[in-house]
Amino acid sequence: AQSVTQLGSHVSVSEGALVLLRCNYSSSVPPYLFWYVQYPNQGLQLLLKYTTGATLVKGINGFEAEFKKSETSFHLTKPSAHMSDAAEYFCAVSGAGNQFYFGTGTSLTVIP
Amino acid sequence: GAGVSQSPSNKVTEKGKDVELRCDPISGHTALYWYRQSLGQGLEFLIYFQGNSAPDKSGLPSDRFSAERTGGSVSTLTIQRTQQEDSAVYLCASTQGRSSYNEQFFGPGTRLTVL
């Protein structure tokens, strides 16, 4: 069975501060891990994904995430928040079969 | 090229009525997913189509929900005898190929409100 837990449904950071959005997963098979972003009134779009290989994955808009198997985590970070980063962020896991399991999302607010 | 499109963008209906939601995936994408997004609930998997294979319906919440995909392209999600708890945003996504590590491309969603 696979599942995703996102700690913190709402995160607020000041502009220029570090962004850290937490994601922990459960998977009985080697997981594929994803972060998606949903801007207001738009569909979800892929930020980055981990499949195999390097555990530090870089995505669009300066975001990156690190796969830590020992901690079953895939936290999303960005060194310096911009106002345009305000959005809903979803972590997802897939593996055996073709189902994707999404977390409940984290709403990021950036304070000027 | 064109992305995933969904129609209508908004649908308001009365309890007990049937509704049909449409999804046009990206041309050439063989896999198509339907999800339901409720406030504070994240994305809930509903159904998955892959090519001509039998769909994975394991996420459909009740027998009032059904979906079909004609010609391996357009998909319609039908909700019969709608209930207020069906109110949500229904998202469609398509993927190229069979692998579960391929990126899903999402449509903008249909916001369903059941009065």
Side-chain angles (χ1 to χ4, degrees):
Chain A
Q2 294 165 298
S3 66
V4 172
T5 301
Q6 290 184 241
L7 296 176
S9 58
H10 298 276
V11 172
S12 293
V13 299
S14 297
E15 190 174 17
L18 171 72
V19 176
L20 170 61
L21 305 182
R22 300 178 185 274
C23 173
N24 288 87
Y25 69 90
S26 171
S27 178
S28 57
V29 298
Y32 302 131
L33 296 159
F34 306 80
W35 276 99
Y36 283 84
V37 61
Q38 185 177 32
Y39 297 105
N41 300 314
Q42 295 186 28
L44 278 74
Q45 64 181 85
L46 183 68
L47 267 180
L48 50 79
K49 67 178 181 181
Y50 168 79
T51 54
T52 59
T55 56
L56 182 62
V57 179
K58 295 186 184 298
I60 62 172
N61 300 337
F63 284 93
E64 62 183 36
E66 186 171 11
F67 169 57
K68 292 187 176 180
K69 184 178 180 180
S70 62
E71 298 177 7
T72 60
S73 69
F74 191 56
H75 301 330
L76 181 70
T77 61
K78 182 174 180 178
S80 177
H82 294 164
M83 295 298 295
S84 60
D85 294 329
E88 188 88 15
Y89 292 80
F90 293 92
C91 182
V93 63
S94 70
N98 290 93
Q99 282 198 25
F100 289 75
Y101 298 87
F102 285 81
T104 52
T106 298
S107 177
L108 176 66
T109 299
V110 182
I111 304 167
Chain B
V4 177
S5 61
Q6 293 185 245
S7 61
S9 56
N10 282 283
K11 177 70 177 179
V12 180
T13 190
E14 294 179 347
K15 178 181 174 181
K17 296 288 181 67
D18 298 351
V19 296
E20 287 189 350
L21 313 180
R22 176 187 169 103
C23 172
D24 282 89
I26 293 173
S27 178
H29 280 193
T30 57
L32 186 149
Y33 297 77
W34 281 99
Y35 295 92
R36 181 166 67 177
Q37 184 178 21
S38 304
L39 192 62
Q41 298 297 314
L43 273 71
E44 175 189 6
F45 166 78
L46 296 177
I47 188 168
Y48 160 66
F49 295 89
Q50 175 60 266
N52 295 319
S53 302
D56 176 353
K57 303 179 181 180
S58 60
L60 294 178
S62 76
D63 59 7
R64 297 187 295 104
F65 287 72
S66 62
E68 62 178 21
R69 189 178 184 192
T70 55
S73 181
V74 172
S75 178
T76 302
L77 177 69
T78 301
I79 308 174
Q80 296 178 309
R81 305 181 302 282
T82 52
Q83 304 294 312
Q84 288 183 330
E85 60 262 30
D86 299 334
S87 296
V89 176
Y90 290 82
L91 295 172
C92 174
S94 70
T95 301
Q96 186 174 39
R98 302 185 64 89
S99 177
S100 56
Y101 60 72
N102 288 334
E103 175 183 358
Q104 291 191 310
F105 292 83
F106 283 83
T110 294
R111 181 175 298 278
L112 174 66
T113 303
V114 182
L115 302 177

